Amino acid sequence: MGRYILKRLWRALITLIVISMLIFVIARVTGDPIAYLAPEDASEQELAQVRARLGLDKPIYVQYAFYVGDALRGDFGNSLRYNRPAFEMVLQRLPATIQLSLIAFIVSTILGIMMGVLAALRRDTWIDGALRLLAVLGQSAPSFWIGILAIMIFGVHLQWLPTSGRMGPEYLILPSLTLALFSMASVMRLTRSAMLETQTQEYVKFLRAKGVPESQIIFKHMLRNALVPVLAVLGIQLSHLVGGTVIIEIVFNWPGVGRLMVEALLNSDLPLIQAGVMLIAISVVLVNLLVDLSYGLVDPRIRIE
Amino acid sequence: MTDTNAQPVIRVEDLYVSLRRRRDGATIRAVNGVNFSVGRGRTLGIVGESGCGKSTAAMALVRLLPKSAEVRGAIHFDGRDLATESQGALRRIRGRKIAMIFQDPMVALDPLFTVGDQLAEPLREHLDLDGEALHARQVELLQAVGISSPETRLKQYPHQMSGGMLQRIVGAIAIACNPELLIADEPTTALDPTAQAGYLELLERLSETYGLALIVVTHDMGVVSRICHDVMVMYAGQTVEYGPVRAIFDQPRHPYTQALLASIPHAVEPGACLPTIEGQPPDLAALPPGCPFAARCPKVVDRCRTEAPPPVEFAGGQRALCWRADER
Amino acid sequence: MNGAIAPTRERASPGRPSRKGKWRSLPWLAIIMLAPVIIFGICGPLLYLHDPTTIDLLNPQKPPAWLEGGSAAFPLGTDQFGRDLLSRLIEGARVSLIIALGGVMVAALIGIVAGMASGYFGGLVDSLISQAVDVKMSLPAILLIILIGAAIGGGMTTVLASIVLLFWADYARVIRAETLSLRERGYVQLAKVANASHIRILTRHILPNLFGTCIVLVTLQVGRAILIEASISFIGLGIQPPATAWGLMVYEGRAYLATAWWLPTFSGLAITMTVLGTNLFGDWLRDALDTRQSSL
Ligand SMILES: Nc1ncnc2c1ncn2[C@@H]1O[C@H](COP(=O)(O)OP(=O)(O)OP(=O)(O)O)[C@@H](O)[C@H]1O
Ligand SMILES: [Mg+2]
């Protein structure tokens, strides 16, 4: 277990370093940062002073070190457009995004697993067929289109649910379900095939021969074994979800980090983009780490070496 | 029959099993007339080529077959006919009165649960044991199969144990509820020679100590001669020859048994290629009329191809299914 | 005695499907869904009823022909500028297909080379490439897209760069695993003993065996690439007007969903159908070629 944790921690660290380097490099290639920090009519000498003050005359790796130091203190500079600390602005929007993706994550995992088990147990019946079709559709339809259809049907036509903004819990329903669809489809397909795979295992035959009740075989043994490969991809599912959130936030006018970042992109508001990307990367890496550790809890072969 | 003096533990009469093949929906007649009985403390070997229905016949005894399977015939056990019992009743017999073990002890246990947990399952399910009594029985069982420090072993997972250890655990689970019959489907096939010897010894000892009736399905004539009292030779789902091991090895009556025994080299080099019998067994989805072995039989006569042969009985309980069984 | 009855026969081997069965086993649903897209993609400009960019302010937001107020001249209706929706969809098919195929091809090229190098040489090359794959896998695609967008702005290049950057790792991962197992095969070992150069071994003995896996991956990836392209266009970083692509059309149509529902509906339907088609086709291909990558 110790080695396993160390490996996962190492991967998390590397991921964060790479993303911070990418952000740093992109900040440098998109133009001279002092162009917008110094007054327009500044002389060469004044510009040099600003450079020196900002450390831009130092070698690139020293600059990177400064940059990381700033980032660690939560200092990404001010938003160019709003002239407020970028980090703060992102932090303010973070709960909305976390709320949306977390609910979608829970919904897609639980429903996906339940549907996968059902499809596997009812293999080759119409239930299985319908669930599989739903899964393929869920993986093929763009989420923004599903979102727009949902708005047209449940918002404009039936007027059952609100479709824009974040006022009460009912505002969560359409966005989180739309967001969950793709992941749910993946989790379902994986659960189904994992369940079918466990059905052919020798230990299942042995359990039947022991006279263990079928329900106990399915829900205690087969399901838990089927969950091992499912858990292994939950981290990736989460990445998909966070990516999907950005789009869903735009479709449903959800005031989260994703929408903020896309606005910032269209305004070329670099500090805001940097802060947003970094914070999302950190959240994803942390949750991934949690998923990896829970994997160890389910599978004793990882827990005990 | 060999065990006429005692009431047999299990007696199977005219067992037929047909299965539905998933691919094309064809009906596979996997078992086509199997007859045998096994008494207390006796061991029956079931031999035959791959695909001749040995496992299907063995699983049919406790009706652990795919949903599409149809079972006909009579399976007399414990004063009932298992061929007609409900699945619910059978579940209470499996693991309780009839235990089964399969090929590879390395994969017989669920990797995600402790050995103790999996040993407890049949005890809880069938004997309603709990708490102290359960724990005591677990320890007792592990000791019975020769596992030292049972307390720690109970808390371990399968991947933490050696192959030999897992064999014993599987043995302990099998005898957990004091069954009357133990069915072992190719218990040694997946094992290396040393492990095989150990496993056979264990099975033999359990059968002797607890007076179990034991059925061993195997490809290995060595296993038959080593631990079995009786042997049943199967071909295309039929019992083609049945009787005491000595009698059959000395004087096989069915041409198939003769070919089988002739194909066994007297000194087997490790890894040497074994000779096989010419030809292919018939397609179980389309059995020919008459004797299914006719196409490969060296002694075939016209009658074999049209009429199914009757069982011919011999002294000492030997029985063969062949038109020319009593010829020398 | 220690004899054994040697099995004389393999377990019932599935018979070859008859020719008729072969025809029936083709993924007809997928073919039906993909055929129009491919035809439009190849000979799009020949099939326009109208020029897709011509603004016709006399006919704005005309509904599809079968609805009241629709006309046969505009089978699927028109958009807010009176442009023919069907013609625009056909134009979009071309753009989307070119981008998806182009991006996936480049990604495949990079990924295959990286995967082969990683699996064949091992050592430092392998750990660097594997590390890079790991990092890519644990980052949400959207972050990479946003960073690329921040660096080079919106447009075709952004979409292509995103697809390449997002997809190369999938090839690298799968190809690495396959190469690792191929490397141990007898003929590769023989070639090594015969002193064949690395390049020769890689191109002659390993690459041909990766063909099936690559074909399946490319097929499945094209579907995903179309989705990525649509998403990027949807957030405004992709194809820029007046050029068009399906994702962009959904985005533009979104503003009119109360008055002209057909605009976002049909564009999204086109995307869904195409992706569904490639997914079904890829699944079928995977089973038909019997590649081991069931997790693709
Ligand atoms: N679930 C099933 N559905 C359809 N046919 C089956 C099924 N299981 C087995 N069969 C067929 O039934 C026949 C008997 O199979 P069985 O497994 O009983 O043979 P076996 O003698 O145990 O062979 P082996 O020595 O290889 O274990 C075979 O032809 C097999 O193809
Ligand atoms: Mg068998």
Side-chain angles (χ1 to χ4, degrees):
Chain A
M1 188 74 181
R3 253 178 66 95
Y4 174 78
I5 294 181
L6 272 183
K7 246 163 98 177
R8 297 296 139 149
L9 277 174
W10 170 246
R11 189 168 86 180
L13 190 69
I14 292 277
T15 307
L16 287 180
I17 291 176
V18 168
I19 192 90
S20 71
M21 273 156 81
L22 280 179
I23 295 173
F24 174 74
V25 167
I26 278 159
R28 289 297 174 271
V29 297
T30 44
D32 198 343
I34 62 159
Y36 54 79
L37 289 175
E40 259 169 47
D41 53 350
S43 69
E44 265 310 305
Q45 212 180 351
E46 281 170 317
L47 281 181
Q49 271 175 2
V50 177
R51 275 208 181 86
R53 184 158 53 82
L54 291 172
L56 291 178
D57 53 346
K58 303 261 177 11
I60 192 84
Y61 55 87
V62 178
Q63 289 184 39
Y64 175 67
F66 276 138
Y67 169 82
V68 171
D70 284 347
L72 283 179
R73 272 179 278 116
D75 180 4
F76 288 85
N78 279 1
S79 153
L80 301 183
R81 185 177 165 104
Y82 301 98
N83 202 24
R84 285 174 44 204
F87 186 74
E88 234 169 65
M89 288 184 67
V90 174
L91 218 51
Q92 239 170 30
R93 296 278 199 111
L94 202 58
T97 296
I98 290 180
Q99 184 186 34
L100 186 57
S101 24
L102 210 61
I103 289 182
F105 184 63
I106 294 168
V107 167
S108 67
T109 307
I110 293 178
L111 282 185
I113 289 173
M114 282 180 8
M115 286 160 59
V117 170
L118 185 66
L121 294 180
R122 295 273 176 275
R123 182 184 186 178
D124 290 345
T125 63
W126 68 269
I127 298 180
D128 183 29
L131 286 174
R132 283 166 74 186
L133 186 71
L134 191 73
V136 179
L137 265 174
Q139 289 191 310
S140 304
S143 60
F144 53 85
W145 183 60
I146 298 284
I148 288 172
L149 287 187
I151 292 178
M152 271 191 327
I153 297 170
F154 297 105
V156 178
H157 253 282
L158 303 172
Q159 308 214 325
W160 284 355
L161 290 164
T163 58
S164 165
R166 177 185 183 233
M167 253 83 93
E170 72 274 21
Y171 284 77
L172 262 167
I173 298 174
L174 283 183
S176 58
L177 285 183
T178 311
L179 181 56
L181 201 64
F182 186 93
S183 271
M184 190 170 76
S186 317
V187 171
M188 189 215 120
R189 289 183 69 164
L190 192 63
T191 309
R192 178 179 178 277
S193 66
M195 280 297 279
L196 290 180
E197 169 108 30
T198 54
Q199 248 165 29
T200 64
Q201 297 290 314
E202 281 289 310
Y203 61 79
V204 173
K205 203 159 98 179
F206 193 46
L207 284 166
R208 297 218 166 95
K210 288 200 299 194
V212 177
E214 193 64 20
S215 60
Q216 199 177 326
I217 296 179
I218 292 173
F219 293 107
K220 178 175 163 191
H221 294 278
M222 282 168 52
L223 183 56
R224 182 141 171 205
N225 275 280
L227 283 185
V228 171
V230 175
L231 258 178
V233 298
L234 278 190
I236 294 174
Q237 292 309 323
L238 194 86
S239 291
H240 279 312
L241 274 178
V242 171
T245 318
V246 173
I247 305 244
I248 295 298
E249 285 178 8
I250 295 169
V251 176
F252 291 95
N253 264 317
W254 188 260
V257 183
R259 225 184 68 193
L260 185 70
M261 273 198 299
V262 172
E263 277 165 21
L265 259 177
L266 302 181
N267 298 328
S268 305
D269 195 340
L270 207 54
L272 210 49
I273 296 173
Q274 294 182 342
V277 170
M278 201 63 222
L279 263 174
I280 289 197
I282 291 175
S283 333
V284 169
V285 164
L286 282 182
V287 180
N288 255 325
L289 210 56
L290 278 180
V291 170
D292 283 344
L293 296 185
S294 70
Y295 191 63
L297 287 185
V298 170
D299 192 342
R301 286 163 296 188
I302 288 176
R303 190 164 69 235
I304 309 159
E305 276 156 280
Chain B
M1 247 146 259
T2 47
D3 39 42
T4 36
N5 49 346
Q7 173 78 9
V9 172
I10 187 165
R11 188 158 52 83
V12 174
E13 280 170 6
D14 284 327
L15 183 68
Y16 285 80
V17 180
S18 57
L19 300 163
R20 192 163 299 280
R21 185 158 57 200
R22 208 188 164 76
R23 173 161 46 90
D24 52 5
T27 303
I28 307 285
R29 292 166 58 192
V31 177
N32 304 296
V34 156
N35 291 280
F36 67 85
S37 62
V38 191
R40 262 183 69 84
R42 309 222 18 125
T43 300
L44 170 74
I46 301 182
V47 295
E49 279 169 301
S50 186
C52 71
K54 303 183 297 291
S55 301
T56 309
M59 296 299 263
L61 301 184
V62 286
R63 302 243 310 278
L64 267 180
L65 295 167
K67 278 200 198 81
S68 67
E70 266 179 57
V71 178
R72 280 188 297 129
I75 304 164
H76 300 290
F77 177 86
D78 199 25
R80 324 183 228 192
D81 180 5
L82 299 190
T84 56
E85 287 288 337
S86 70
Q87 281 291 331
L90 284 161
R91 190 178 62 66
R92 284 185 289 277
I93 293 175
R94 293 177 202 137
R96 167 91 177 83
K97 300 203 153 168
I98 301 181
M100 295 187 92
I101 59 179
F102 304 103
Q103 267 199 22
D104 189 353
M106 298 292 277
V107 293
L109 297 181
D110 184 338
L112 302 187
F113 291 87
T114 61
V115 163
D117 195 345
Q118 301 186 60
L119 179 56
E121 276 171 337
L123 296 172
R124 275 209 196 92
E125 188 60 37
H126 300 303
L127 306 181
D128 268 332
L129 289 186
D130 222 333
E132 265 310 301
L134 175 70
H135 183 74
R137 177 70 180 150
Q138 285 177 311
V139 171
E140 182 189 355
L141 279 166
L142 289 196
Q143 277 162 349
V145 294
I147 287 181
S148 52
S149 56
E151 303 276 351
T152 31
R153 292 300 180 190
L154 283 175
K155 292 195 204 86
Q156 288 187 325
Y157 289 91
H159 76 277
Q160 294 171 283
M161 298 197 172
S162 67
M165 199 71 83
L166 287 174
Q167 285 177 9
R168 290 158 195 233
I169 304 280
V170 169
I173 293 176
I175 57 162
C177 304
N178 279 322
E180 289 162 31
L181 173 65
L182 174 60
I183 302 169
D185 189 354
E186 306 196 23
T188 56
T189 306
L191 306 178
D192 62 68
T194 355
Q196 285 187 7
Y199 208 25
L200 285 180
E201 223 162 84
L202 177 72
L203 289 180
E204 209 174 9
R205 192 160 55 79
L206 292 179
S207 152
E208 271 163 21
T209 334
Y210 297 94
L212 287 175
L214 182 60
I215 295 177
V216 181
V217 175
T218 181
H219 280 132
D220 191 336
M221 283 299 190
V223 172
V224 174
S225 71
R226 168 114 160 47
I227 67 168
C228 296
H229 304 106
D230 299 306
V231 62
M232 172 167 93
V233 181
M234 281 184 73
Y235 185 80
Q238 290 183 332
T239 303
V240 293
E241 185 150 9
Y242 172 79
V245 171
R246 280 270 64 85
I248 287 183
F249 274 42
D250 287 347
Q251 200 174 53
R253 300 286 183 161
H254 194 282
Y256 178 63
T257 320
Q258 290 162 0
L260 273 188
L261 292 172
S263 75
I264 298 167
H266 288 287
V268 183
E269 310 271 318
C273 240
L274 294 163
T276 56
I277 302 166
E278 279 295 298
Q280 296 277 308
D283 181 2
L284 293 176
L287 282 174
C291 171
F293 190 57
R296 297 163 81 185
C297 183
K299 298 182 175 175
V300 64
V301 292
D302 283 349
R303 186 180 205 182
C304 305
R305 299 189 211 275
T306 50
E307 277 179 74
V312 183
E313 307 258 351
F314 299 90
Q318 190 175 355
R319 166 157 53 79
L321 205 61
C322 177
W323 283 116
R324 302 180 61 183
D326 38 16
E327 294 175 19
R328 289 256 97 182
Chain C
M1 220 185 298
N2 187 21
I5 301 161
T8 56
R9 181 177 71 132
E10 286 282 287
R11 248 326 134 90
S13 65
R16 282 277 113 223
S18 64
R19 182 172 285 154
K20 213 168 168 188
K22 213 161 200 172
W23 275 111
R24 204 168 304 142
S25 71
L26 280 179
W28 286 112
L29 191 62
I31 292 173
I32 290 169
M33 285 195 244
L34 288 179
V37 181
I38 292 170
I39 292 169
F40 291 154
I42 292 170
C43 35
L46 301 174
L47 301 170
Y48 297 154
L49 294 174
H50 307 263
D51 184 278
T53 50
T54 304
I55 292 175
D56 178 359
L57 291 175
L58 292 178
N59 286 310
Q61 295 195 19
K62 257 189 147 6
W66 62 87
L67 290 181
E68 205 174 321
S71 87
F74 307 101
L76 294 182
T78 64
D79 70 3
Q80 65 277 21
F81 299 118
R83 296 177 296 196
D84 178 43
L85 183 57
L86 182 61
S87 304
R88 285 177 70 72
L89 279 178
I90 293 175
E91 170 69 7
R94 208 160 53 92
V95 177
S96 293
L97 267 193
I98 290 173
I99 292 178
L101 277 175
V104 167
M105 289 298 171
V106 178
L109 210 69
I110 297 174
I112 290 170
V113 170
M116 276 171 55
S118 179
Y120 183 79
F121 294 110
L124 186 66
V125 184
D126 182 29
S127 54
L128 277 180
I129 290 174
S130 299
Q131 198 73 253
V133 172
D134 259 8
V135 168
K136 198 256 112 184
M137 293 291 176
S138 46
L139 279 176
I142 198 78
L143 292 189
L144 292 178
I145 294 173
I146 287 177
L147 286 177
I148 295 169
I152 57 182
M156 184 98 127
T157 337
T158 309
V159 182
L160 279 173
S162 303
I163 291 175
V164 172
L165 228 88
L166 290 175
F167 286 1
W168 74 272
D170 291 334
Y171 293 94
R173 186 172 55 91
V174 172
I175 296 296
R176 173 179 176 275
E178 296 258 300
T179 308
L180 268 179
S181 79
L182 285 172
R183 197 177 62 171
E184 303 308 322
R185 295 266 175 89
Y187 53 85
V188 175
Q189 296 295 329
L190 262 173
K192 267 189 189 165
V193 176
N195 249 332
S197 68
H198 291 317
I199 294 291
R200 196 183 153 80
I201 293 178
L202 281 171
T203 53
R204 284 296 189 78
H205 298 292
I206 293 188
L207 192 58
N209 287 299
L210 299 173
F211 184 74
T213 307
C214 291
I215 287 288
V216 174
L217 247 183
V218 165
T219 314
L220 291 172
Q221 297 284 41
V222 166
R224 283 193 229 167
I226 290 174
L227 274 185
I228 295 273
E229 178 270 315
S231 306
I232 298 177
S233 295
F234 183 80
I235 60 177
L237 278 178
I239 309 303
Q240 305 292 322
T244 197
W246 290 342
L248 187 62
M249 290 171 69
V250 180
Y251 180 69
E252 290 172 343
R254 175 182 171 237
Y256 303 93
L257 53 84
T259 52
W261 57 267
W262 52 91
L263 289 179
T265 305
F266 290 130
S267 333
L269 204 59
I271 301 175
T272 307
M273 220 175 66
T274 311
V275 180
L276 190 60
T278 53
N279 278 343
L280 291 176
F281 193 75
D283 282 349
W284 172 81
L285 208 58
R286 180 180 54 209
D287 296 341
L289 296 177
D290 198 24
T291 47
R292 279 171 293 136
Q293 306 301 326
S294 55
S295 62
L296 292 182

